[in-house]
Amino acid sequence: MNRIKNRNIRFIKEILLIIAGVTSACFGLKSFLMPSHFIDGGVTGISLLLSTLTGWNLSYLIVIINIPFVILGYRQIGKGFALKTAIAIAALSLALIFLPFQPITHDKLLIAFFGGLFLGGGIGLAMRGGCVIDGTEVLALYISKNSILTVGNIILILNIIIFAFAAYFLNIETALYAILTYLSASSTIDFIVNGIEQYTGVTIISEHQEDIKEFIINEMRRGVTIYKGEGGYGEKKDIDIIFTVVTKLEMSKLQTAIRQIDPDAFVIQQQIADLKGGVVKRHALH
């Protein structure tokens, strides 16, 4: 019973996130980018560029150009993802036709920044809802599986090509503003998907591991995991390796404590996009 209830709550949450994402993206497009013929990166940027060059309706172009990526998403990720993505893209197309958003400003810098902010916010919210309204990530994921390039590298290369076409067919100024729009959108997507906390995994090797462990547990109220290791440089001896997860807001406090306890401690940090369970999300920051 609880499982069905949780599934329904999760489904409703995903639908609300997708609706909010579609609305935000539509607002960014209709109130900022479209009236001034600005473009963005990704599939949306391609759609905007073609709409500007040909005069074709953007709502139709978004659906047509995203069809191959929906099919690719079905093959690479799954049926549920592809279905939600198809519905979200169709909803965005209809929103562009029916939602009565009006231009907000004619200042090019404001258009680039806020257009990217609301468009990126829409894409990020849709991703939190379990789908995409821009197929670039799906294509990048597919290519990365068959090449040495990472997803980030592929998205960057695709956007460079789009901006180059914009500079050639439109003008350099529009391409430069498009880069600002893309930077604003990508930063907003990262903020919404990863959140302000942006968890950091910390691995600590120290001869004073007990003191460091007690500080993390008692003072920071965070969980720790102890790995058993063996030194490989110089004299070989058994060592305890501490691993913990904290938010970036807490990282400075932890670093200060480690330096005070053991200035020679070996510390490795790595960014974590998201996590489930544990005690990181249960307690307030201290």
Side-chain angles (χ1 to χ4, degrees), residues 156-215:
L156 179 61
I157 292 170
L158 291 173
N159 285 322
I160 288 173
I161 294 171
I162 294 169
F163 298 145
F165 272 97
Y168 180 79
F169 288 107
L170 301 177
N171 55 68
I172 294 178
E173 184 183 68
T174 299
L176 293 175
Y177 277 116
I179 294 172
L180 289 179
T181 303
Y182 167 70
L183 292 174
S184 175
S186 60
S187 298
T188 307
I189 292 170
D190 183 64
F191 176 79
I192 290 177
V193 173
N194 295 329
I196 190 172
E197 292 175 312
Q198 294 191 350
Y199 301 103
T200 301
V202 186
T203 302
I204 307 162
I205 301 175
S206 169
E207 294 183 354
H208 302 275
Q209 69 268 11
E210 285 298 325
D211 294 332
I212 295 175
K213 183 178 71 173
E214 288 181 9
F215 175 83

Side-chain angles (χ1 to χ4, degrees), residues 113-129:
F113 177 77
F114 285 101
L117 186 145
F118 284 104
L119 179 58
I123 294 172
L125 288 169
M127 291 174 69
R128 292 297 294 265

Side-chain angles (χ1 to χ4, degrees), residues 145-164:
K145 290 182 177 180
N146 299 279
S147 71
I148 60 173
L149 298 174
T150 65
V151 171
N153 294 148
I154 295 165
I155 291 175
L156 179 61
I157 292 170
L158 291 173
N159 285 322
I160 288 173
I161 294 171
I162 294 169
F163 298 145

Side-chain angles (χ1 to χ4, degrees), residues 194-254:
N194 295 329
I196 190 172
E197 292 175 312
Q198 294 191 350
Y199 301 103
T200 301
V202 186
T203 302
I204 307 162
I205 301 175
S206 169
E207 294 183 354
H208 302 275
Q209 69 268 11
E210 285 298 325
D211 294 332
I212 295 175
K213 183 178 71 173
E214 288 181 9
F215 175 83
I216 295 171
I217 294 173
N218 298 325
E219 298 296 327
M220 300 189 70
R221 299 181 66 195
R222 298 300 180 222
V224 298
T225 298
I226 305 298
Y227 296 101
K228 298 297 181 180
E230 181 182 282
Y233 181 78
E235 180 185 356
K236 291 186 177 181
K237 59 181 179 179
D238 294 336
I239 54 174
D240 287 341
I241 302 170
I242 300 173
F243 178 78
T244 187
V245 177
V246 298
T247 68
K248 283 200 170 183
L249 299 177
E250 299 172 296
M251 197 60 226
S252 176
K253 180 178 180 179
L254 178 59

